[in-house]
Amino acid sequence: MRRFLSHNLTSPFLNLSMRGKLFSLFLLVAFVPLLSFVFYSYHTVKNQLIRQTFASAALMTSQINSNLQNKLDNYNKISASLYLDETLQDYLVKSYRDNADFLDAYRYIDNVMNNVLTTNPEVFGIAIYTTNASMHIDDTFIKPLTDVIERKPWFHKVQNTYGNVIFTITPAQPADPPRKATPPMFTLVRYLNYNSLNFPYGILAIDIQESELYALIDKEDKDKDIYIVDEQGTIVSGKDKTRLNANIGEWLALPQQTEGSGKFETEYEGEKVLVVYNAIRNGWKTVSIIPYSGFMEAANRSTHRLLFIASVCLLLCMVLIYAVARLSTKRIEALLKNIRRLEREDFELVSMKMGHDEIGQMSFALDKMAARFKNLINEVYKKEISKQEAELGMLQAQINPHFLYNTLASISALAMKNDDRRTQDMVSHLAKFYRISLNKGKNIVSLNEELKLTHNYIAIQQIRYQDLIHIHYRIEDEVRSYPTVKLTLQPFIENSIRHGIWDDDYGIGIVIKAYRRDEDIYLEVIDDGMGMPRDRLGGGASLQELGYGISNVDQRIKLAFGADYGVSMYSRPGIGTHVVVRLPSGGVS
């Protein structure tokens, strides 16, 4: 799974350019909150509208039920007044032998029925179906209980009610001359068996136009469907008259338990609806069917506005995000170009305004690094040139000694030919001196070679100064093999001879010592010459100021063996000068 995600999600993202990464991330950060906000707002408004619609529909159905209950109670009272009328009962069960008796009954029945119709204008008609064969039929209020009546669906139901009321719907009847067309009727039917439950004397039927019930819901079903159904689910009243007396379950799936009041969501005629129902005492219900498209229109409009605003905001965010990403990546691209220039060893970087943020600081550091690289390369280049010149000089130096030796050999031969012994000796000592001092360019020699070199130099100077130089050596044999820098002693001997002789008769005495103490080797040059003033030697003067040769020896020793080693000088006027050279016994560091 991790490999799949890495291959299909991570790798493509990592392969995007920096601008693409920034744009994608910023767009995601802007898009997700906006989409979440729209989604949350839509569902919040939707739930609020559902609650408000349910509350409104529940209040409406409750009011309709209250009015419906009042109407049904009124119709029950009308039927009860006729059911409990003992005079009416007597007339209906009486056996008639002449017309006079019937006229009294007719007048009473006609008077009672007309009073009911007058005081209850919503009653369309009243009829009593009688089984009294001796009673005259007027086909207005008194009608025979024929087979036609017995085949009506309510006949068998009313027989089992023991005088209770039932309601039924009679669909609209077309005209059948001489009978006129009749609208849909809501009929109250009651078995007349008062005081004689086992001996019924007729059936009371009170017809009320269905429009009287529909008037209760007429003003409320403009954007919804409202039905009044009985306890069996049979439609008693509604806008669509063709559905009267049909079961509502053919169009709407009501839950099995629908007692009291409640709501549920379902499909109705291919559309999602909210159904709110409320029941009255006899089990009848007012069912309100509210399409979602009706009460959700406001939520949809609000959502569309939010989507439009979110789209505009998202578009602005995309423009701003692209601008920010381009501004950032433009500087990164410029920085990358400069890095590529460095990669090609081109240190002349393109300069542009980078600001003072992290990218600007990286650019500044890159400029400094490029300048440093350039300086380092120039230094290395110069050092390489110097090294090549030094190598060339060494090659040249290897040639010059041969020429010098040959020249000195020629001078020595010429001096011998002319019997000039002093010149011959001087030239011979000079040749030996240079043979050791040049030494094929080596800077480190043994102390024994250094003493030989010093001896040759002193021999040359003794030829010149004759008996003015008196040399004494105090050399421990064990130190002869230890290394030292070349020409360590010669500058101090030369300095003693040139600056120390102050009496041409007495000359100068020089003592050269070499010995070991602990882990160090010490060389000393002691003369009894003129010496130096205390203020010059102890007044802060450097060895450089005392002479180039002396400071050169000190510097070469420090470079070869370390800063702890070097030259120390002590001198007093009229007494002489004491030079101490400290060397390590371990050789070059």
Side-chain angles (χ1 to χ4, degrees):
M1 184 66 180
R2 183 180 298 175
R3 183 177 298 176
F4 174 80
L5 292 175
S6 176
H7 184 268
N8 293 277
L9 296 178
T10 308
S11 296
F13 180 76
L14 293 177
N15 292 331
L16 285 175
S17 64
M18 183 62 70
R19 183 179 301 175
K21 289 187 180 74
L22 289 175
F23 185 75
S24 300
L25 289 175
F26 289 163
L27 188 62
L28 186 63
V29 169
F31 179 74
V32 171
L34 280 175
L35 190 63
S36 300
F37 173 72
V38 172
F39 181 80
Y40 172 77
S41 299
Y42 172 75
H43 280 276
T44 301
V45 172
K46 175 184 175 182
N47 293 333
Q48 185 65 26
L49 286 174
I50 290 175
R51 287 194 294 269
Q52 291 178 356
T53 303
F54 170 68
S56 176
L59 181 62
M60 176 197 67
T61 54
S62 177
Q63 185 63 44
I64 292 174
N65 279 1
S66 177
N67 295 333
L68 176 61
Q69 188 68 58
N70 291 336
K71 276 188 176 293
L72 295 181
D73 289 345
N74 185 48
Y75 299 149
N76 277 327
K77 289 178 181 179
I78 295 172
S79 68
S81 66
L82 298 176
Y83 179 78
L84 298 175
D85 191 336
E86 294 182 358
T87 304
L88 178 61
Q89 178 187 3
D90 292 339
Y91 282 125
L92 292 175
V93 298
K94 183 178 180 180
S95 296
Y96 297 94
R97 293 184 174 84
D98 54 31
N99 292 332
D101 292 337
F102 174 74
L103 288 175
D104 290 337
Y106 180 80
R107 289 190 188 97
Y108 182 80
I109 293 173
D110 186 68
N111 185 49
V112 170
M113 298 301 183
N114 283 319
N115 286 338
V116 172
L117 293 175
T118 302
T119 56
N120 298 280
E122 68 270 22
V123 176
F124 183 78
I126 302 176
I128 295 176
Y129 298 94
T130 182
T131 58
N132 190 346
S134 63
M135 190 173 186
H136 291 274
I137 304 302
D138 61 2
D139 278 334
T140 300
F141 298 118
I142 305 298
K143 297 181 180 181
L145 185 59
T146 62
D147 294 340
V148 175
I149 300 302
E150 290 179 354
R151 286 195 296 270
K152 288 185 178 292
W154 48 261
F155 182 77
H156 295 288
K157 291 181 182 179
V158 77
Q159 285 182 318
N160 299 321
T161 60
Y162 304 102
N164 294 322
V165 173
I166 66 169
F167 297 93
T168 185
I169 291 294
T170 303
Q173 300 295 325
D176 186 13
R179 188 182 64 185
K180 297 180 180 179
T182 58
M185 290 295 175
F186 164 64
T187 303
L188 180 150
V189 182
R190 190 166 193 169
Y191 216 27
L192 298 177
N193 56 358
Y194 181 64
N195 291 332
S196 56
L197 296 179
N198 296 322
F199 301 100
Y201 51 87
I203 297 175
L204 173 64
I206 300 176
D207 291 330
I208 302 103
Q209 291 190 38
E210 181 270 338
S211 58
E212 293 294 332
L213 292 180
Y214 182 70
L216 300 174
I217 60 177
D218 184 28
K219 295 180 180 180
E220 303 293 343
D221 66 348
K222 303 302 180 185
D223 54 353
K224 62 183 76 69
D225 287 345
I226 302 177
Y227 295 102
I228 297 175
V229 299
D230 63 14
E231 67 277 10
Q232 303 299 326
T234 303
I235 298 175
V236 176
S237 180
K239 183 190 298 185
D240 189 351
K241 308 307 178 184
T242 61
R243 296 184 178 180
L244 295 178
N245 222 26
N247 195 288
I248 196 173
E250 297 179 17
W251 299 276
L252 183 70
L254 283 172
Q256 293 182 354
Q257 300 296 330
T258 55
E259 297 179 359
S261 62
K263 68 180 174 77
F264 61 92
E265 296 177 353
T266 187
E267 293 285 332
Y268 174 72
E269 296 182 345
E271 186 178 6
K272 189 176 181 180
V273 294
L274 175 67
V275 179
V276 180
Y277 61 88
N278 202 341
I280 59 177
R281 290 193 303 269
N282 65 351
W284 285 24
K285 303 178 187 68
T286 301
V287 180
S288 178
I289 304 172
I290 309 165
Y292 265 79
S293 59
F295 68 85
M296 286 298 295
E297 185 177 356
N300 292 333
R301 286 198 304 267
S302 177
T303 302
H304 291 157
R305 284 195 296 268
L306 284 174
L307 284 174
F308 175 75
I309 295 172
S311 300
V312 173
C313 292
L314 187 61
L315 183 62
L316 291 176
C317 286
M318 290 175 63
V319 173
L320 292 175
I321 289 168
Y322 179 79
V324 172
R326 188 174 184 275
L327 179 63
S328 300
T329 55
K330 184 178 181 181
R331 294 187 298 159
I332 294 175
E333 289 171 356
L335 192 62
L336 181 60
K337 288 181 180 179
N338 282 337
I339 293 174
R340 295 271 171 78
R341 293 175 75 93
L342 281 179
E343 185 182 6
R344 295 193 299 269
E345 300 181 2
D346 182 0
F347 301 102
E348 300 298 329
L349 304 184
V350 177
S351 178
M352 66 175 293
K353 293 182 179 180
M354 289 288 190
H356 300 287
D357 59 0
E358 288 79 0
I359 297 177
Q361 294 176 15
M362 289 174 61
S363 177
F364 177 76
L366 185 66
D367 291 340
K368 297 290 288 183
M369 184 174 67
R372 181 63 177 162
F373 281 170
K374 185 176 181 181
N375 292 335
L376 287 174
I377 289 175
N378 288 336
E379 290 178 5
V380 171
Y381 178 71
K382 290 179 181 179
K383 287 182 179 179
E384 287 294 326
I385 292 177
S386 299
K387 182 178 179 181
Q388 291 178 1
E389 289 177 350
E391 291 176 352
L392 183 62
M394 290 178 63
L395 291 175
Q396 185 66 35
Q398 291 178 3
I399 298 173
N400 289 338
H402 292 286
F403 173 75
L404 180 61
Y405 298 153
N406 293 335
T407 302
L408 291 176
S410 299
I411 295 174
S412 178
L414 183 62
M416 184 182 295
K417 184 178 180 180
N418 293 325
D419 199 20
D420 189 348
R421 187 67 183 176
R422 292 182 61 195
T423 303
Q424 181 185 357
D425 291 342
M426 184 176 289
V427 170
S428 177
H429 287 303
L430 182 61
K432 293 178 182 179
F433 176 83
Y434 276 116
R435 184 177 291 110
I436 297 173
S437 64
L438 293 174
N439 195 23
K440 298 182 181 180
K442 294 181 180 180
N443 190 42
I444 304 297
V445 297
S446 67
L447 187 57
N448 188 54
E449 290 179 324
E450 177 66 18
L451 290 172
K452 288 181 181 179
L453 186 149
T454 303
H455 176 76
N456 289 322
Y457 175 76
I458 292 174
I460 293 171
Q461 298 300 325
Q462 283 178 333
I463 294 172
R464 176 185 175 186
Y465 290 100
Q466 295 183 356
D467 297 331
L468 294 179
I469 301 174
H470 308 285
I471 300 296
H472 303 280
Y473 293 97
R474 296 178 184 176
I475 310 299
E476 294 181 358
D477 291 336
E478 63 173 322
V479 301
R480 289 181 179 273
S481 61
Y482 288 104
T484 183
V485 294
K486 187 168 56 181
L487 296 176
T488 299
L489 298 174
Q490 185 271 335
F492 302 110
I493 303 296
E494 181 182 2
N495 192 65
S496 296
I497 294 172
R498 290 183 60 186
H499 303 291
I501 298 177
W502 59 280
D503 186 350
D504 291 341
D505 294 330
Y506 180 75
I508 188 171
I510 301 174
V511 179
I512 300 174
K513 294 182 179 181
Y515 58 91
R516 176 172 179 170
R517 182 178 296 168
D518 297 328
E519 298 298 325
D520 294 332
I521 306 299
Y522 289 91
L523 305 179
E524 295 184 11
V525 178
I526 306 170
D527 68 60
D528 55 0
M530 294 179 61
M532 290 181 289
R534 185 183 299 273
D535 58 349
R536 183 182 179 192
L537 189 63
S542 65
L543 293 177
Q544 179 71 38
E545 295 176 353
L546 296 177
Y548 175 76
I550 295 174
S551 66
N552 180 270
V553 173
D554 184 66
Q555 291 176 3
R556 287 189 295 122
I557 290 174
K558 283 179 167 51
L559 288 173
F561 303 113
D564 293 336
Y565 303 96
V567 178
S568 301
M569 292 187 66
Y570 310 93
S571 182
R572 290 183 67 182
I575 295 178
T577 301
H578 184 186
V579 177
V580 180
V581 179
R582 183 186 175 196
L583 301 171
S585 61
V588 180
S589 61

PDB file of all heavy atoms in Angstrom, residues 309-324:
ATOM      1  N   ILE A 309     -20.212  32.723  -4.861  1.00  0.00           N
ATOM      2  CA  ILE A 309     -19.245  33.514  -4.091  1.00  0.00           C
ATOM      3  C   ILE A 309     -17.962  32.723  -3.875  1.00  0.00           C
ATOM      4  O   ILE A 309     -16.849  33.245  -4.001  1.00  0.00           O
ATOM      5  CB  ILE A 309     -19.858  33.944  -2.740  1.00  0.00           C
ATOM      6  CG1 ILE A 309     -21.045  34.888  -2.980  1.00  0.00           C
ATOM      7  CG2 ILE A 309     -18.821  34.620  -1.855  1.00  0.00           C
ATOM      8  CD1 ILE A 309     -21.833  35.209  -1.724  1.00  0.00           C
ATOM      9  N   ALA A 310     -18.128  31.416  -3.546  1.00  0.00           N
ATOM     10  CA  ALA A 310     -16.948  30.568  -3.339  1.00  0.00           C
ATOM     11  C   ALA A 310     -16.133  30.441  -4.625  1.00  0.00           C
ATOM     12  O   ALA A 310     -14.896  30.437  -4.587  1.00  0.00           O
ATOM     13  CB  ALA A 310     -17.376  29.189  -2.844  1.00  0.00           C
ATOM     14  N   SER A 311     -16.828  30.349  -5.772  1.00  0.00           N
ATOM     15  CA  SER A 311     -16.112  30.251  -7.048  1.00  0.00           C
ATOM     16  C   SER A 311     -15.327  31.520  -7.326  1.00  0.00           C
ATOM     17  O   SER A 311     -14.173  31.463  -7.775  1.00  0.00           O
ATOM     18  CB  SER A 311     -17.108  29.979  -8.178  1.00  0.00           C
ATOM     19  OG  SER A 311     -17.803  28.778  -7.966  1.00  0.00           O
ATOM     20  N   VAL A 312     -15.971  32.675  -7.063  1.00  0.00           N
ATOM     21  CA  VAL A 312     -15.263  33.948  -7.265  1.00  0.00           C
ATOM     22  C   VAL A 312     -14.060  34.032  -6.334  1.00  0.00           C
ATOM     23  O   VAL A 312     -12.952  34.410  -6.750  1.00  0.00           O
ATOM     24  CB  VAL A 312     -16.225  35.130  -7.032  1.00  0.00           C
ATOM     25  CG1 VAL A 312     -15.463  36.449  -7.057  1.00  0.00           C
ATOM     26  CG2 VAL A 312     -17.326  35.138  -8.088  1.00  0.00           C
ATOM     27  N   CYS A 313     -14.276  33.666  -5.053  1.00  0.00           N
ATOM     28  CA  CYS A 313     -13.171  33.690  -4.087  1.00  0.00           C
ATOM     29  C   CYS A 313     -12.061  32.728  -4.500  1.00  0.00           C
ATOM     30  O   CYS A 313     -10.872  33.047  -4.400  1.00  0.00           O
ATOM     31  CB  CYS A 313     -13.669  33.332  -2.691  1.00  0.00           C
ATOM     32  SG  CYS A 313     -14.760  34.566  -1.961  1.00  0.00           S
ATOM     33  N   LEU A 314     -12.479  31.538  -4.977  1.00  0.00           N
ATOM     34  CA  LEU A 314     -11.494  30.558  -5.394  1.00  0.00           C
ATOM     35  C   LEU A 314     -10.704  31.061  -6.605  1.00  0.00           C
ATOM     36  O   LEU A 314      -9.484  30.863  -6.696  1.00  0.00           O
ATOM     37  CB  LEU A 314     -12.192  29.232  -5.733  1.00  0.00           C
ATOM     38  CG  LEU A 314     -11.283  28.038  -6.022  1.00  0.00           C
ATOM     39  CD1 LEU A 314     -10.430  27.730  -4.809  1.00  0.00           C
ATOM     40  CD2 LEU A 314     -12.097  26.824  -6.406  1.00  0.00           C
ATOM     41  N   LEU A 315     -11.403  31.730  -7.527  1.00  0.00           N
ATOM     42  CA  LEU A 315     -10.715  32.289  -8.688  1.00  0.00           C
ATOM     43  C   LEU A 315      -9.712  33.354  -8.262  1.00  0.00           C
ATOM     44  O   LEU A 315      -8.570  33.388  -8.751  1.00  0.00           O
ATOM     45  CB  LEU A 315     -11.755  32.882  -9.657  1.00  0.00           C
ATOM     46  CG  LEU A 315     -11.205  33.450 -10.974  1.00  0.00           C
ATOM     47  CD1 LEU A 315     -10.521  32.338 -11.774  1.00  0.00           C
ATOM     48  CD2 LEU A 315     -12.326  34.065 -11.798  1.00  0.00           C
ATOM     49  N   LEU A 316     -10.145  34.226  -7.340  1.00  0.00           N
ATOM     50  CA  LEU A 316      -9.225  35.251  -6.832  1.00  0.00           C
ATOM     51  C   LEU A 316      -8.047  34.593  -6.106  1.00  0.00           C
ATOM     52  O   LEU A 316      -6.897  35.032  -6.256  1.00  0.00           O
ATOM     53  CB  LEU A 316      -9.963  36.194  -5.881  1.00  0.00           C
ATOM     54  CG  LEU A 316     -11.001  37.125  -6.522  1.00  0.00           C
ATOM     55  CD1 LEU A 316     -11.720  37.935  -5.454  1.00  0.00           C
ATOM     56  CD2 LEU A 316     -10.333  38.061  -7.525  1.00  0.00           C
ATOM     57  N   CYS A 317      -8.363  33.540  -5.324  1.00  0.00           N
ATOM     58  CA  CYS A 317      -7.287  32.823  -4.636  1.00  0.00           C
ATOM     59  C   CYS A 317      -6.303  32.213  -5.631  1.00  0.00           C
ATOM     60  O   CYS A 317      -5.080  32.261  -5.426  1.00  0.00           O
ATOM     61  CB  CYS A 317      -7.867  31.718  -3.750  1.00  0.00           C
ATOM     62  SG  CYS A 317      -8.666  32.333  -2.258  1.00  0.00           S
ATOM     63  N   MET A 318      -6.839  31.659  -6.726  1.00  0.00           N
ATOM     64  CA  MET A 318      -5.961  31.066  -7.738  1.00  0.00           C
ATOM     65  C   MET A 318      -5.044  32.115  -8.344  1.00  0.00           C
ATOM     66  O   MET A 318      -3.844  31.878  -8.534  1.00  0.00           O
ATOM     67  CB  MET A 318      -6.802  30.394  -8.824  1.00  0.00           C
ATOM     68  CG  MET A 318      -7.519  29.137  -8.365  1.00  0.00           C
ATOM     69  SD  MET A 318      -8.610  28.445  -9.646  1.00  0.00           S
ATOM     70  CE  MET A 318      -7.418  28.024 -10.903  1.00  0.00           C
ATOM     71  N   VAL A 319      -5.610  33.296  -8.635  1.00  0.00           N
ATOM     72  CA  VAL A 319      -4.787  34.366  -9.209  1.00  0.00           C
ATOM     73  C   VAL A 319      -3.711  34.798  -8.221  1.00  0.00           C
ATOM     74  O   VAL A 319      -2.522  34.927  -8.569  1.00  0.00           O
ATOM     75  CB  VAL A 319      -5.683  35.563  -9.607  1.00  0.00           C
ATOM     76  CG1 VAL A 319      -4.828  36.739 -10.050  1.00  0.00           C
ATOM     77  CG2 VAL A 319      -6.650  35.161 -10.720  1.00  0.00           C
ATOM     78  N   LEU A 320      -4.136  35.016  -6.956  1.00  0.00           N
ATOM     79  CA  LEU A 320      -3.170  35.451  -5.943  1.00  0.00           C
ATOM     80  C   LEU A 320      -2.134  34.361  -5.665  1.00  0.00           C
ATOM     81  O   LEU A 320      -0.940  34.652  -5.515  1.00  0.00           O
ATOM     82  CB  LEU A 320      -3.910  35.811  -4.646  1.00  0.00           C
ATOM     83  CG  LEU A 320      -4.801  37.057  -4.714  1.00  0.00           C
ATOM     84  CD1 LEU A 320      -5.562  37.239  -3.400  1.00  0.00           C
ATOM     85  CD2 LEU A 320      -3.975  38.305  -5.019  1.00  0.00           C
ATOM     86  N   ILE A 321      -2.609  33.115  -5.596  1.00  0.00           N
ATOM     87  CA  ILE A 321      -1.683  32.013  -5.345  1.00  0.00           C
ATOM     88  C   ILE A 321      -0.673  31.891  -6.481  1.00  0.00           C
ATOM     89  O   ILE A 321       0.529  31.702  -6.252  1.00  0.00           O
ATOM     90  CB  ILE A 321      -2.462  30.695  -5.166  1.00  0.00           C
ATOM     91  CG1 ILE A 321      -3.221  30.704  -3.838  1.00  0.00           C
ATOM     92  CG2 ILE A 321      -1.545  29.485  -5.229  1.00  0.00           C
ATOM     93  CD1 ILE A 321      -4.233  29.592  -3.715  1.00  0.00           C
ATOM     94  N   TYR A 322      -1.156  32.032  -7.723  1.00  0.00           N
ATOM     95  CA  TYR A 322      -0.248  31.949  -8.860  1.00  0.00           C
ATOM     96  C   TYR A 322       0.774  33.082  -8.814  1.00  0.00           C
ATOM     97  O   TYR A 322       1.963  32.876  -9.082  1.00  0.00           O
ATOM     98  CB  TYR A 322      -1.044  32.005 -10.163  1.00  0.00           C
ATOM     99  CG  TYR A 322      -0.160  31.936 -11.389  1.00  0.00           C
ATOM    100  CD1 TYR A 322       0.344  30.720 -11.828  1.00  0.00           C
ATOM    101  CD2 TYR A 322       0.174  33.087 -12.093  1.00  0.00           C
ATOM    102  CE1 TYR A 322       1.163  30.645 -12.942  1.00  0.00           C
ATOM    103  CE2 TYR A 322       0.995  33.028 -13.207  1.00  0.00           C
ATOM    104  CZ  TYR A 322       1.482  31.807 -13.632  1.00  0.00           C
ATOM    105  OH  TYR A 322       2.291  31.750 -14.713  1.00  0.00           O
ATOM    106  N   ALA A 323       0.285  34.286  -8.448  1.00  0.00           N
ATOM    107  CA  ALA A 323       1.200  35.427  -8.375  1.00  0.00           C
ATOM    108  C   ALA A 323       2.261  35.210  -7.302  1.00  0.00           C
ATOM    109  O   ALA A 323       3.457  35.446  -7.519  1.00  0.00           O
ATOM    110  CB  ALA A 323       0.418  36.715  -8.103  1.00  0.00           C
ATOM    111  N   VAL A 324       1.816  34.740  -6.116  1.00  0.00           N
ATOM    112  CA  VAL A 324       2.773  34.493  -5.022  1.00  0.00           C
ATOM    113  C   VAL A 324       3.742  33.375  -5.402  1.00  0.00           C
ATOM    114  O   VAL A 324       4.958  33.478  -5.176  1.00  0.00           O
ATOM    115  CB  VAL A 324       2.009  34.137  -3.728  1.00  0.00           C
ATOM    116  CG1 VAL A 324       2.982  33.681  -2.652  1.00  0.00           C
ATOM    117  CG2 VAL A 324       1.225  35.337  -3.237  1.00  0.00           C
TER     118      VAL A 324
END
